[in-house]
Amino acid sequence: MSPGGSPGADAPGPRLPDFPWDSLAGLKATAGEHPDGIVDLSVGTPVDPVPANLQAALSAAADRPGYPATHGTPELRAAAVAALDRRFGVPDVPAAAVLPTIGSKELVAWLPTLLGVRPGDVVAIPELAYPTYEVGATLAGAEVVRLAPGEAPPAGTALVWLNSPSNPTGRVLDAEQLAESVRQARAVGAVVASDECYLSLGWDAEPVSVLHPSVTTDRAGLLAVHSLSKTSNLAGYRAGFITGDPELVRRLLELRKHAGMIVPRPVQEAVTAALADDVHVRVQKELYAGRRAMLRPALENAGFTVEHSQGGLYLWSTRGEDAWETLRLLAERGILAAPGTFYGPAGARHVRIALTASDERIAAAAKRLAD
């Protein structure tokens, strides 16, 4: 340890950035002083109840003392195959090419390592991107390149991340844009990982999976990441899956077996129930639509410009000033949001405002913006 340094400061291993949300502590305290309490729109965490049928599926599997299968139950994989076809028009996914994950964040963080990305390789991420894409590349020792919309990845790129609808911007890529991104990645020999966690949440545009036939009929080198956190309120269960190129999924399965990356069996049962039931997905989408319809005009009437935001759970907003100035203005009204800088330098004048609060809290935010 260096003189005066903290324990572990010189420990070997990747040097990761500070956890970004820790930097909001002061603004959170300011917002919390509002007489009517804080409206926390900074993190996209679900607030609505877990649907009763999913709770029941979890509870019914509580007495499972044996180890679960890393590959998931056959019923889970069959339910995922059917849901991909029914909900997103993605046909003919082999059941063997579905692999449950412990939520999607752990998969995002460890995917470069599991795919064999090495120091000196490049991981290409969107210009404005979920921070864990960069963390995953750092864990693998790779270089990170941020791509502007439509920009091709450079030579040496091993993995390209796509995200539509985008976190944080809500931008939706159409089939031709996705197809061009796939062509560009293949030209440099890169795997494409498409983060499709918000695929069910299109507002002004209809999101398309990278595995949809309108994008390509050749799924070699393609992976699609799905989460049940947003549309099924299973963030607390840590429930997701990855699918796509059967050979890539097979390799991930073997590595995850060795590493003990296994979704607990009760959670697998809840995932199976969630994938078989579209009603709760529609109900949840309607709740978010109502909150969006309250919050977006309130922001615009208060002098914000909302950009993109065609899908997903966020309103990508700007007042034409430094993001932290906007955050202070919101905090003084008891509202906490996230600065665009969390997602890349290009977000310096934007804030990300989540729809993940109760109807009552969203209404409170809208009222405060009007005052």
Side-chain angles (χ1 to χ4, degrees), residues 122-213:
V122 172
V123 173
I125 69 175
E127 182 179 43
L128 290 161
Y130 180 47
T132 310
Y133 302 153
E134 183 170 11
V135 168
T138 302
L139 289 170
E143 178 187 350
V144 174
V145 171
R146 292 179 179 269
L147 301 180
E151 184 180 359
T157 299
L159 175 64
V160 174
W161 276 105
L162 303 178
N163 180 210
S164 175
S166 162
N167 173 15
T169 69
R171 181 193 293 269
V172 173
L173 302 176
D174 62 27
E176 180 50 41
Q177 289 170 314
L178 287 169
E180 180 60 21
S181 294
V182 169
R183 287 192 289 268
Q184 291 171 340
R186 285 175 169 166
V188 294
V191 170
V192 174
S194 178
D195 179 350
E196 301 184 351
C197 293
Y198 301 92
L199 201 60
S200 294
L201 295 168
W203 309 117
D204 303 325
E206 189 63 35
V208 180
S209 171
V210 76
L211 303 179
H212 193 276

Side-chain angles (χ1 to χ4, degrees), residues 155-304:
T157 299
L159 175 64
V160 174
W161 276 105
L162 303 178
N163 180 210
S164 175
S166 162
N167 173 15
T169 69
R171 181 193 293 269
V172 173
L173 302 176
D174 62 27
E176 180 50 41
Q177 289 170 314
L178 287 169
E180 180 60 21
S181 294
V182 169
R183 287 192 289 268
Q184 291 171 340
R186 285 175 169 166
V188 294
V191 170
V192 174
S194 178
D195 179 350
E196 301 184 351
C197 293
Y198 301 92
L199 201 60
S200 294
L201 295 168
W203 309 117
D204 303 325
E206 189 63 35
V208 180
S209 171
V210 76
L211 303 179
H212 193 276
S214 63
V215 177
T216 180
T217 57
D218 177 7
R219 294 172 182 167
L222 304 184
L223 294 168
V225 179
H226 286 260
S227 168
L228 284 79
S229 294
K230 312 304 183 185
T231 49
S232 296
N233 294 332
L234 292 187
Y237 286 31
R238 310 312 301 130
F241 67 91
I242 188 167
T243 188
D245 181 337
E247 176 57 24
L248 287 179
V249 173
R250 186 194 66 77
R251 287 166 47 193
L252 293 173
L253 171 60
E254 292 305 312
L255 290 165
R256 291 175 70 88
K257 284 180 180 178
H258 285 291
M261 295 176 170
I262 310 172
V263 176
R265 179 59 184 272
V267 175
Q268 292 190 29
E269 296 299 324
V271 169
T272 304
L275 292 170
D277 171 32
D278 295 341
V279 174
H280 78 279
V281 175
R282 289 195 294 269
V283 168
Q284 190 60 48
K285 184 176 181 179
E286 289 168 3
L287 285 173
Y288 286 133
R291 293 162 188 169
R292 184 175 183 269
M294 276 195 285
L295 191 56
R296 179 166 187 159
L299 286 165
E300 291 172 336
N301 290 336
F304 287 78

